[in-house]
Amino acid sequence: MSEQPLFKVTIDNITVEVPAGTSILNAARKIGGDVAPPAMCYYSKLEGSGGKCRTCLVEVSKGSEKDPRPMPKLVASCRTTVMDGMEVKNITSDRVIDARNGVVEFLLINHPLDCPVCDQAGECHLQDLSYEHGKAGTRYEFQRRTFKKHDLGDKIQLHMTRCILCYRCVFTADQLTGKREHGVLDRGDHAEIATYIEKNLDNEFIGNVIDVCPVGALTDKTFRFKNRVWFLKPVDAHRDCPTCSGKVTLWNRGDEVYRVTARKDQWGEVEDWICNTCRFDKKQTSDWVIEGPRLIDRHSVISQGHYAGSVGTHKPTETFEAVHSGRQPKLLMDIHSVSEVNQTDITLSKLDRPAHSTDFNHNKD
C-alpha cells in the first residue's frame, strides 16, 4: 500500500506538512495557538459535524501550486481540505476578523446574557468568542426567542434559549448511544432541540451530550448552582468501570467531589467517552484512584486555579504541629457560626438536586 502523500500548506505565514485530505482547521490545529480558528460546531470525534456555525471562516489567498488563484469567498476551514501549496490567512486577514465579528454578533442575537447564573461560565466557548470578537451593545431590536420548557430527565437540564444549534448533542446521541430520542425540531427561527414525544434521555452514555455542548444549553443537574468551576480544582482520576474506560476529571473543592466530567484536550474535545454511572453516581473521593492535577490547556479562568506538582493530592510532611513543637493551631474565629449562612447538616456537593434557598439560613431580623 502506497503511503499517503503530504501536502505543504501555509497558514498565517507558518508552513506545515499534513496528509492529503486533512481539513484546513486540523492543519491549523497542528500549528496550534491563535493560528487555529475557533470552532463551535465541529467535533473531530463526531462524523458529519462542522459547517454550521461559520466561526472557523478563513481566507484562502492561494489555492495550490497548480492553481494559485485565491478563493473569492471566505471558506469554512472545518469543511475545506488542504491542497499542496495552499496559503491561508486566519488572524492575519482583516476580512476574516470582520466576518468572525459578524458571526459572533449573529450567535448572540437570541443568546441571553446570563453568564452570572450559567453553570457553563468559565468554560464556555461562546463566552471566549464574545470576549475576543463581541460588541459592547447589540443592534438587534426585536424580541428574542422564547421556548416551551422541555424535561429531559433528572440528570440533564436543557436551556433552549442558550442553544446555537450546533448539532453536537444530536450527533453524539445518534453515533454514541445508538438510541437517539431527541433532535432538532421545526425550521428557521423556530428550530429547537427537543424530544419527539416528551421522552427522558436515559441512555447509559447520554451524559456525554453535556460535555460536547459548547454553551450552557445542556448542563448537569447534579452540579447545577452548586459551585463555580474556577473555585474547583480539576484532578485526573480513574476507576475500574465495566462500561467505559473509567478515565475522568474530578472537580473537587477540598475533599468534596462536586462533579465528574470526561477528560478534554486543548480544543475542548472529549478524549474518551464516559458512562452515566461514572459521571452522576460516583461522587465520593474513595470511589476513584487520584492521578494528579488536571492541566487545563485552553485559555480559561480555570487556569488561574492550577496547582503544580502534587499539591492537593498528598498532605504536606511539614505540618503546623511539626514546626510548633506539637502545639495545635488555635481557632480564633469560627466563620460558620459567625456568618450563619449554610445549615450545619447540609453539604452542598452531596445534594442530589440543585441548591435551593431553603438550604441556607435566613436572617430572622
Side-chain angles (χ1 to χ4, degrees), residues 168-232:
R168 283 182 180 181
C169 65
V170 179
F171 288 135
T172 301
D174 199 31
Q175 300 172 23
L176 182 62
T177 69
K179 184 185 177 183
R180 179 166 63 87
E181 296 171 333
H182 77 289
V184 179
L185 307 185
D186 297 327
R187 297 181 178 182
D189 61 347
H190 293 284
E192 62 176 313
I193 297 290
T195 55
Y196 295 109
I197 50 176
E198 297 297 328
K199 283 190 174 182
N200 292 338
L201 306 186
D202 57 358
N203 188 277
E204 183 60 34
F205 281 86
I206 199 62
N208 289 285
V209 300
I210 299 172
D211 283 336
V212 302
C213 182
V215 295
L218 294 167
T219 54
D220 183 352
K221 279 188 177 181
T222 65
F223 175 66
R224 206 161 167 250
F225 303 143
K226 291 183 179 178
N227 219 306
R228 284 302 197 182
V229 291
W230 53 83
F231 292 140
L232 303 179

Side-chain angles (χ1 to χ4, degrees), residues 112-121 127 159 162 216 219 224-225 227-228 230:
L113 298 179
D114 59 351
C115 299
V117 297
C118 179
D119 284 310
Q120 192 81 356
Q127 199 174 41
H159 293 274
R162 301 173 184 165
T219 54
R224 206 161 167 250
F225 303 143
N227 219 306
R228 284 302 197 182
W230 53 83

Side-chain angles (χ1 to χ4, degrees), residues 34-38 54-59 74-75 77 89-91 94-107 129 132-134:
D34 293 335
V35 174
R54 320 307 288 182
T55 58
C56 68
L57 291 175
V58 294
E59 178 184 350
L74 302 182
V75 298
S77 60
K89 293 181 180 180
N90 179 31
I91 57 176
D94 292 335
R95 290 178 61 197
V96 170
I97 299 301
D98 183 62
R100 197 163 292 160
N101 292 343
V103 170
V104 172
E105 185 178 10
F106 182 78
L107 291 177
L129 273 178
E132 296 174 0
H133 302 282

Side-chain angles (χ1 to χ4, degrees), residues 127-181:
Q127 199 174 41
D128 295 338
L129 273 178
S130 302
Y131 180 79
E132 296 174 0
H133 302 282
K135 306 294 183 181
T138 178
R139 295 179 290 176
Y140 194 66
E141 300 176 352
F142 303 97
Q143 186 177 1
R144 298 191 177 197
R145 294 187 303 176
T146 57
F147 297 92
K148 173 187 173 183
K149 185 176 181 180
H150 292 276
D151 185 10
L152 301 184
D154 61 340
K155 302 297 185 183
I156 302 173
Q157 178 70 44
L158 171 63
H159 293 274
M160 189 54 218
T161 54
R162 301 173 184 165
C163 180
I164 61 171
L165 294 176
C166 69
Y167 285 71
R168 283 182 180 181
C169 65
V170 179
F171 288 135
T172 301
D174 199 31
Q175 300 172 23
L176 182 62
T177 69
K179 184 185 177 183
R180 179 166 63 87
E181 296 171 333

Side-chain angles (χ1 to χ4, degrees), residues 270-315:
V270 170
E271 294 179 359
D272 204 351
W273 310 108
I274 64 173
C275 64
N276 288 358
T277 302
C278 290
R279 182 184 302 275
F280 299 121
D281 299 335
K282 302 299 180 181
K283 293 294 186 70
Q284 301 291 334
T285 307
S286 57
D287 296 330
W288 301 93
V289 177
I290 307 298
E291 300 175 9
R294 177 69 177 178
L295 298 179
I296 306 298
D297 294 324
R298 291 181 60 248
H299 54 286
S300 170
V301 69
I302 309 172
S303 302
Q304 72 179 7
H306 279 179
Y307 298 90
S310 59
V311 175
T313 58
H314 301 285
K315 291 185 177 180

